[in-house]
């Protein structure tokens, strides 16, 4: 279902809904999220309080329920942990995609 070396790298039809949800819940950065077609909002599981953590040589982590408004006007609801790029090299901005390790980001 997830293969980063392919485009698109997510093939939701390759696994059951339960298996996809299980994998999304294991996502350490919170970059992956899901919603059920019969629900308006994403799966909200954390408290309303948000915590922001700057990771040395890495992303900015935001813990909690947040809404990210994209430049195209779309909104993305995130929960648990969301990793934002601080190095400027992510190919999935504003989110961290791990590229900071490849460029040896110092910050
Ligand atoms: S901080 Fe991770 S890709 Fe930029």
């Amino acid at each position: 279902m997830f293969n980063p070396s392919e485009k698109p790298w997510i093939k939701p039809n390759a696994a059951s809904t339960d298996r996809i949800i299980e994998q999304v819940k294991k996502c350490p950065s919170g970059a992956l999220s899901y919603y059920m077609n019969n629900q308006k909002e994403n799966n909200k599981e954390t408290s309303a309080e948000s915590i922001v953590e700057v990771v040395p040589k890495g992303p900015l982590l935001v813990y909690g329920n947040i809404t990210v408004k994209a430049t195209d006007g779309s909104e993305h609801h995130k929960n648990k942990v969301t990793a934002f790029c601080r190095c400027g090299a992510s190919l999935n901005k504003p989110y961290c995609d791990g590229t900071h390790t490849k460029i040896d980001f110092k910050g």
Side-chain angles (χ1 to χ4, degrees), residues 41-104:
E41 298 289 322
N42 281 0
N43 51 338
K44 294 182 175 181
E45 297 180 358
T46 58
S47 70
E49 181 180 4
S50 295
I51 298 171
V52 179
E53 176 184 1
V54 178
V55 177
K57 302 179 182 178
L60 189 71
L61 299 180
V62 178
Y63 299 85
N65 298 325
I66 61 171
T67 299
V68 179
K69 292 185 178 181
T71 54
D72 65 2
S74 62
E75 293 187 357
H76 306 267
H77 301 283
K78 299 291 186 176
N79 54 53
K80 293 184 183 174
V81 185
T82 306
F84 291 95
C85 177
R86 285 198 314 128
C87 73
S90 173
L91 297 178
N92 189 32
K93 292 183 191 82
Y95 308 106
C96 169
D97 68 356
T99 302
H100 59 269
T101 57
K102 293 179 190 166
I103 66 168
D104 196 26

Side-chain angles (χ1 to χ4, degrees), residues 1-4 9-12 19-35 42-43 45 76-83 92 95-97:
M1 145 177 75
F2 299 108
N3 187 345
W9 67 278
I10 299 175
K11 294 182 178 162
R19 180 79 174 112
I20 293 170
I21 290 171
E22 179 185 323
Q23 283 303 116
V24 168
K25 286 183 175 179
K26 290 179 182 175
C27 178
S29 70
L32 298 175
S33 63
Y34 72 92
Y35 67 92
N42 281 0
N43 51 338
E45 297 180 358
H76 306 267
H77 301 283
K78 299 291 186 176
N79 54 53
K80 293 184 183 174
V81 185
T82 306
N92 189 32
Y95 308 106
C96 169
D97 68 356

